[in-house]
Amino acid sequence: MRIFSYLFVCFAYSSLQAQSVQWASKVVGMSSEYTQGSGQQYRAVQVLGKPNKLPQAESGASAWRASSPNAGEEWLKVSFETPTAVRQVAIGENFGGGCIDKVFVYDTQGNEYQIYKSKNTTSERNAGMFRVWLPQLSTYKVAAVKVVLDTKLVNGWNEIDAIGISASENPVEAQINVAKNVPKELKKENLGPNVNSKANEVAPVISPDGHTIYFTRYDHPGNLRAKEDYDVWYAEEKNGVWQYAKNMGSPINNLQENSICYISPDDRTALLMNIYHPDGALSKGVSVSHKNRNGWSFPQQLGLQNYVNEHSFSGFYISPNGKVMVLSLQDANTLGGSDLYVSFLQTDGKWSSPTNMGVSINTADDEYTPFLATDNQTLYFTSNGRSGYGEMDIYVSRRLDDTWKKWSEPENLGPAFNTFDFEAHFTIPASGAYAYFCSSENSLGEFDIFRVKLPEPIRPNPTVILKGTVIDQLTKRPLQAQVIVEDTEQKQTPQVLDYDPEVGDFKMILDTKKQYNLTAQHKGYQASGMTIDLSQENQYREIRREIVLTPIEIGKKITLNTIRFAQSKFDLLPSSLPELDRIAQMMTENADMEILIEGHTDNVGDFNANVQLSKDRVEEVKRYLISKNIEQARIQTKGYGPTRPLAPNTTEENRKVNRRVEFTILKK
């Protein structure tokens, strides 16, 4: 063993400077580790990687602690992926600082060098980054570091957050991974007395269109039980003003603790904390309620397979297409406390067993209150297992693939959102314009709901809200129908919902940079559709469409708006097939039905070639229907080329209208 003189040992915080530091990558050995926690809590592996608890000094499960306090000598040895010459060794003491007794380093040959020995019999101090400086850059490459503690020096638990080595002259600091270019201060706007009161308003959930906010109210005279009761309330925004909040009433609320955690894009499906029982009791789990003509249905237990939660808190949020659910829970597979999990909707309507979302998101501490933005990629959540500002901070991460286990490194939203207190329940509309959250700072009473403009760097990718109605072509009145949205590349699962005009518009979330087929169908009517072209969209907006359904009648001509062909060819594009499948289904259900398919082109190019192209295209449609077991004799075709335009061929927009396939029922 070689011993250096201890020329300079530094324990301090200084201003953040550019630094190059390598954090430990492997545990070589330890004297003991705490094993009474859940999962990997307080285990030696928690010392690996960059600090999880500093610069805020507090105890946490994402740090190493020995098996028992005040036991005397304890030690931990770690190695580094890339051995390097060092100027300093940095040891993060997040709790019970002051018991580091010796520090050793090891070169690539295993030679040991003692670089620090404590001279104090008692050295209790504030937690922080403890640095051992070598007199000069080491002449050997450091491959491992061993830290020896004398836990009798500081009463209680002693925890080590991280161990790093650096050749830099700048002191190694623990840094918070703050989202870039986010202002440190933002103006918080209280939603006002129509929403907030002297009671507690917490756990807000904003509707995707931003016009309705749902929240939980505690100890309010308007609750079903005026004292010590939690009820779900909602408020609507009209002309930029939040209207007076209303209690959602029964069956959403009863005499127990009620809370909402999700609202669907069409405001018709809500997830509610706990399982509702007919006798009014609640038990741990999640329930779903649907809005219909008579109001909200009695909450039914969500079919979530193998759901177990040992944590006192839980959270649930469903993706905009209704196919993926992110939830927080604690079970045998968690890294420590509550972790974020993912579940997928199965063909039988049940949700798959939750799968842990992995170490890129979860820590040995707690992660909960997940909020999945409408882009289906940007996730906001609360954690106390990462470097932050307070008791619980809000972070943002973006999904990197379809496994739902690979995510970008979570970024802290910064001091404009996170304080020394408990921050959670972050919710934003599809526009990404504002973030809604609860806070007790400058409130009207206890916790209130606030909003703040969301800086561009932490906004989700833009999406579009599609709203609309379905109309009967003869009566001009709204008509109940099934509405279907399919992306033309068929890379996404179709969105299907039941439109009921008595409940309100249909609403869906669509990604930008894509094209969609929008279709409505109702028994006794010819399915009708249109193309929604968002391929050039790069900003949030709301669009409105009206789908007109025509009763199945002999002689009624309908344009098949979603039928497309390859450029100047008669090959059907895949996006055409769903509408043709619906025609085949209709003809199968009406065995005597006979139809006429007519093709049209614009006037660009050779006249005879256009006529032939129109004939070839409708023949291709016929061949496809025949492949679906429709008899050839029931299908007639005609191609007119450019001879029957609906609009002058003077603009590209008009030429698009003229390039069409039409459908007429000849017999039913």
Side-chain angles (χ1 to χ4, degrees):
M1 180 180 74
R2 302 181 175 102
I3 302 178
F4 278 86
S5 59
Y6 317 123
L7 294 183
F8 186 27
V9 176
C10 174
F11 176 87
Y13 286 118
S14 63
S15 59
L16 293 181
Q17 305 176 55
Q19 60 183 41
S20 175
V21 58
Q22 184 179 175
W23 300 105
S25 60
K26 181 181 178 180
V27 174
V28 178
M30 72 276 184
S31 56
S32 68
E33 61 182 357
Y34 187 79
T35 59
Q36 302 304 307
S38 173
Q40 297 297 311
Q41 288 184 328
Y42 303 105
R43 300 297 182 93
V45 293
Q46 297 305 323
V47 82
L48 303 181
K50 63 184 183 180
N52 299 314
K53 306 306 296 184
L54 296 176
Q56 186 186 25
E58 63 178 10
S59 177
S62 296
W64 169 68
R65 66 163 58 159
S67 59
S68 59
N70 311 316
E73 183 175 291
E74 298 281 358
W75 60 269
L76 176 67
K77 185 177 180 180
V78 296
S79 62
F80 300 84
E81 184 174 349
T82 306
T84 185
V86 305
R87 180 71 171 84
Q88 59 179 305
V89 174
I91 305 166
E93 295 180 286
N94 61 291
F95 190 74
C99 63
I100 295 176
D101 186 40
K102 304 170 190 172
V103 179
F104 301 90
V105 296
Y106 301 83
D107 64 19
T108 55
Q109 303 303 313
N111 295 313
E112 181 183 86
Y113 305 80
Q114 183 173 346
I115 63 170
Y116 174 74
K117 174 67 176 75
S118 173
K119 297 180 181 180
N120 299 325
T121 56
T122 177
S123 55
E124 183 171 359
R125 56 176 173 256
N126 292 330
M129 191 64 72
F130 181 86
R131 307 177 195 87
V132 179
W133 291 90
L134 277 68
Q136 59 189 24
L137 191 67
S138 65
T139 57
Y140 51 88
K141 293 183 177 180
V142 172
V145 171
K146 179 179 179 181
V147 178
V148 180
L149 309 180
D150 183 354
T151 60
K152 291 182 178 180
L153 294 178
V154 178
N155 188 45
W157 290 110
N158 318 108
E159 296 173 4
I160 301 296
D161 189 11
I163 301 174
I165 55 176
S166 176
S168 174
E169 296 291 335
N170 296 320
V172 169
E173 299 281 4
Q175 300 186 31
I176 300 173
N177 185 35
V178 180
K180 306 298 185 294
N181 301 316
V182 175
K184 293 184 178 180
E185 294 185 6
L186 292 168
K187 182 181 178 181
K188 292 197 304 183
E189 176 186 342
N190 192 299
L191 294 197
N194 283 355
V195 175
N196 295 312
S197 69
K198 292 183 179 181
N200 274 294
E201 284 79 31
V202 297
V205 177
I206 191 74
S207 64
D209 65 8
H211 298 311
T212 307
I213 192 163
Y214 303 83
F215 58 95
T216 300
R217 212 169 217 170
Y218 172 69
D219 207 18
H220 188 275
N223 285 354
L224 297 191
R225 191 178 72 229
K227 290 292 185 180
E228 298 183 355
D229 187 31
Y230 293 87
D231 275 7
V232 180
W233 292 63
Y234 73 99
E236 297 176 309
E237 184 203 44
K238 295 182 180 179
N239 300 318
V241 178
W242 287 103
Q243 305 301 298
Y244 192 73
K246 300 177 181 178
N247 189 305
M248 289 191 71
S250 178
I252 300 297
N253 293 318
N254 57 22
L255 298 181
Q256 305 298 322
E257 297 181 358
N258 310 117
S259 183
I260 188 170
C261 55
Y262 162 81
I263 192 71
S264 63
D266 61 358
D267 293 314
R268 299 185 190 183
T269 299
L271 286 188
L272 303 161
M273 304 299 290
N274 299 311
I275 298 170
Y276 285 63
H277 298 281
D279 62 359
L282 299 179
S283 60
K284 186 174 289 188
V286 60
S287 296
V288 60
S289 177
H290 300 285
K291 189 177 182 181
N292 53 44
R293 296 185 178 192
N294 300 317
W296 289 93
S297 65
F298 185 85
Q300 299 294 321
Q301 180 178 358
L302 192 71
L304 178 56
Q305 298 176 15
N306 300 315
Y307 174 74
V308 175
N309 185 18
E310 299 170 359
H311 201 276
S312 60
F313 192 89
S314 58
F316 307 83
Y317 208 86
I318 295 178
S319 65
N321 63 9
K323 306 298 182 183
V324 182
M325 177 166 54
V326 179
L327 60 157
S328 63
L329 60 88
Q330 181 178 11
D331 66 8
N333 297 315
T334 51
L335 299 182
S338 175
D339 280 0
L340 298 189
Y341 282 67
V342 63
S343 174
F344 302 97
L345 185 64
Q346 308 298 291
T347 54
D348 62 0
K350 295 181 179 180
W351 291 87
S352 66
S353 299
T355 300
N356 193 294
M357 291 171 66
V359 296
S360 57
I361 288 288
N362 295 313
T363 70
D365 282 286
D366 288 320
E367 282 74 38
Y368 41 71
T369 65
F371 176 84
L372 186 63
T374 55
D375 65 359
N376 210 30
Q377 292 182 339
T378 307
L379 178 69
Y380 304 87
F381 64 96
T382 295
S383 175
N384 64 347
R386 301 177 183 278
S387 295
Y389 295 92
E391 182 181 349
M392 298 291 294
D393 278 11
I394 300 171
Y395 296 80
V396 59
S397 180
R398 302 181 193 275
R399 182 165 58 88
L400 301 179
D401 66 10
D402 291 335
T403 67
W404 290 78
K405 292 184 179 181
K406 294 182 180 180
W407 295 80
S408 65
E409 182 181 359
E411 295 178 309
N412 191 293
L413 297 193
F417 295 92
N418 295 315
T419 69
F420 65 89
D421 209 340
F422 184 103
E423 264 70 48
H425 301 291
F426 188 87
T427 178
I428 61 175
S431 67
Y434 287 91
Y436 294 80
F437 57 96
C438 56
S439 175
S440 60
E441 187 178 31
N442 298 321
S443 65
L444 302 181
E446 301 294 331
F447 276 90
D448 278 359
I449 299 172
F450 292 78
R451 75 174 186 177
V452 64
K453 286 188 176 180
L454 195 62
E456 191 68 35
I458 54 176
R459 288 188 181 186
N461 298 318
T463 54
V464 170
I465 291 185
L466 170 65
K467 300 181 179 182
T469 56
V470 180
I471 303 295
D472 185 306
Q473 191 267 338
L474 295 180
T475 66
K476 309 302 181 185
R477 293 179 178 177
L479 177 71
Q480 281 187 283
Q482 186 180 70
V483 178
I484 306 164
V485 170
E486 301 157 296
D487 77 293
T488 58
E489 295 180 350
Q490 297 185 315
K491 293 182 178 180
Q492 299 175 335
T493 304
Q495 295 188 56
V496 181
L497 60 83
D498 294 322
Y499 166 67
D500 184 347
E502 295 294 323
V503 182
D505 292 343
F506 65 78
K507 299 177 187 176
M508 295 180 174
I509 303 294
L510 305 180
D511 293 335
T512 57
K513 306 297 183 181
K514 293 182 181 294
Q515 285 189 338
Y516 296 88
N517 289 337
L518 171 64
T519 306
Q521 56 187 22
H522 182 86
K523 189 173 181 61
Y525 290 75
Q526 167 58 36
S528 178
M530 64 184 70
T531 298
I532 306 293
D533 187 358
L534 304 178
S535 58
Q536 303 303 313
E537 290 289 339
N538 57 14
Q539 293 183 338
Y540 167 81
R541 70 184 180 107
E542 296 181 12
I543 58 177
R544 188 173 189 84
R545 294 292 185 268
E546 182 181 274
I547 308 174
V548 179
L549 291 186
T550 303
I552 297 176
E553 293 182 358
I554 294 175
K556 184 69 69 174
K557 185 174 294 187
I558 299 170
T559 299
L560 303 177
N561 293 311
T562 63
I563 303 301
R564 299 183 186 85
F565 301 88
Q567 181 71 35
S568 301
K569 297 179 180 180
F570 56 83
D571 301 315
L572 281 165
L573 295 180
S575 59
S576 305
L577 305 185
E579 183 155 13
L580 292 180
D581 289 340
R582 284 186 277 271
I583 292 174
Q585 181 64 29
M586 179 180 66
M587 295 186 73
T588 299
E589 294 171 353
N590 298 272
D592 296 327
M593 180 179 287
E594 296 180 6
I595 63 172
L596 170 65
I597 304 292
E598 298 172 288
H600 305 268
T601 67
D602 57 30
N603 67 349
V604 177
D606 181 77
F607 176 86
N608 291 328
N610 281 334
V611 171
Q612 186 60 46
L613 180 62
S614 66
K615 292 179 179 179
D616 290 341
R617 284 180 167 177
V618 292
E619 282 297 315
E620 185 66 15
V621 171
K622 180 177 180 177
R623 277 192 289 273
Y624 183 83
L625 294 175
I626 291 172
S627 75
K628 297 298 180 179
N629 299 317
I630 305 301
E631 296 175 8
Q632 179 176 342
R634 297 170 63 192
I635 308 168
Q636 298 182 31
T637 62
K638 289 184 180 180
Y640 295 101
T643 60
R644 298 187 177 185
L646 296 177
N649 283 293
T650 53
T651 66
E652 177 55 28
E653 200 62 35
N654 283 355
R655 289 191 287 272
K656 283 184 180 179
V657 172
N658 292 331
R659 298 191 295 265
R660 67 195 189 279
V661 173
E662 293 175 327
F663 165 92
T664 304
I665 297 174
L666 302 177
K667 178 184 176 182
K668 68 173 184 176

